[in-house]
Amino acid sequence: MENLKNEMKLEFLSKSANESFARVTIAAFAAQLDPTIEELADIKTSVSEAVTNAIVHAYSGSEGIIKIHSRLYENLIEIEVIDTGVGIENIEEAKTPLFTTKGSLERSGMGFTIMESFMDELKVESVVGLGTKIYMKKKIKSSGKELSL
Amino acid sequence: MKVEHFVEERILKILITEEIDHHTSSKIRTRMDYEILRFRPKKVIIDLKNVKFMDSAGVGLMIGRYKSVKSCGGNLEIENANSKLMKIFEMSGLPKIIEFRNTSELQGFSNEIESILI
Ligand SMILES: Nc1ncnc2c1ncn2[C@@H]1O[C@H](COP(=O)(O)OP(=O)(O)OP(=O)(O)O)[C@@H](O)[C@H]1O
Ligand SMILES: [Mg+2]
């Protein structure tokens, strides 16, 4: 792995008002890599999806702790979103486009599909009853601008 | 959110001005369904030109409004979603059932607008 440039950890309650807090915070952190507007938007949307899933599914309205852990490398960001909620029984099924267990609440089952297509890598680890860890990685192509001068 | 009623044409135009996520969508949904049920429009146009952020909650929100407009016998159209929003809508397949366009159909109606700001 390349040289670690920066690292941060964030911990907050599973309140829906924190969805925008989380994505704006991660965007401010990722901005250190000088991403394009498009790359930054992809990161914000993916974090919003992972955090919303923790609020809606892992804790389904009850109060829990959500942790975000992020690392910046030369041209790469790694983000983990961790909850200690109900966990996912069948991860492959959960990742299927349009699959949702909350269709009655107007969920569309697009969250994992968005994370997978907007980030370069998505890994899901989950244990029923213990919780879920989402790992995402994205290459920031625009960094290293100075080199091309 | 801003709502305009075109009374004669029975068209309801909704301008969404906030970011659309799980947190904001319940309030937007309640307000839109209130207007749709009250007005029973022939056509509902949702203008997204001021929406700077949307995640999958926006897809659920639009599918839900499509259903409530249909159940009143009307039709739903979506205008001016930026390229980031369109990327998400395209992934969901929504453009196959709802008309998306990048123009405003109702320019020139402005003197007939009954406008409510919330
Ligand atoms: N952190 C989590 N804890 C427990 N279950 C989860 C978690 N994240 C996702 N899931 C499960 O995976 C399914 C798919 O998630 P995904 O984000 O793709 O769709 P959704 O949240 O149901 O709908 P949308 O994201 O479009 O609003 C969920 O319906 C839920 O059952
Ligand atoms: Mg989701």
Side-chain angles (χ1 to χ4, degrees), chain A residues 49-50 52-59 83 85-88 93-96 98-103 106-115 126 131-132 134, chain B residues 56-57 59-60:
Chain A
E49 295 297 346
T52 302
N53 279 352
I55 294 168
V56 173
H57 304 295
Y59 300 118
D83 67 66
V86 296
I88 303 172
E93 182 184 49
K95 284 161 83 178
T96 310
L98 307 180
F99 176 85
T100 179
T101 49
K102 292 249 163 81
E106 297 194 349
R107 314 307 311 167
S108 61
M110 289 293 300
F112 277 131
T113 312
I114 287 174
M115 289 182 252
S126 192
T132 301
I134 306 295
Chain B
S56 64
V59 176

Side-chain angles (χ1 to χ4, degrees), chain B residues 60-78:
Chain B
L61 183 71
M62 296 309 155
I63 294 173
R65 272 358 85 219
Y66 173 77
K67 288 179 185 161
S68 45
V69 174
K70 279 275 167 207
S71 74
C72 291
N75 209 15
L76 175 67
E77 292 170 8
I78 298 176

Side-chain angles (χ1 to χ4, degrees), chain A residues 12-15 51-67 82-87 102 130-132:
Chain A
F12 50 89
L13 281 182
S14 59
K15 292 185 178 294
V51 168
T52 302
N53 279 352
I55 294 168
V56 173
H57 304 295
Y59 300 118
S60 37
S62 67
E63 221 158 74
I65 300 278
I66 298 169
K67 290 182 191 170
I82 302 151
D83 67 66
T84 53
V86 296
K102 292 249 163 81
L130 287 182
T132 301

Side-chain angles (χ1 to χ4, degrees), chain B residues 89-107:
Chain B
F89 284 130
E90 306 260 329
M91 281 166 68
S92 74
L94 218 54
K96 282 182 215 135
I97 55 165
I98 298 176
E99 185 187 328
F100 284 78
R101 66 163 170 268
N102 278 318
T103 48
S104 286
E105 198 189 83
L106 286 175
Q107 278 159 0

Side-chain angles (χ1 to χ4, degrees), chain B residues 79-91:
Chain B
E79 280 180 356
N80 303 320
N82 72 28
S83 60
K84 280 179 272 173
L85 272 59
M86 271 327 286
K87 209 156 119 185
I88 293 172
F89 284 130
E90 306 260 329
M91 281 166 68

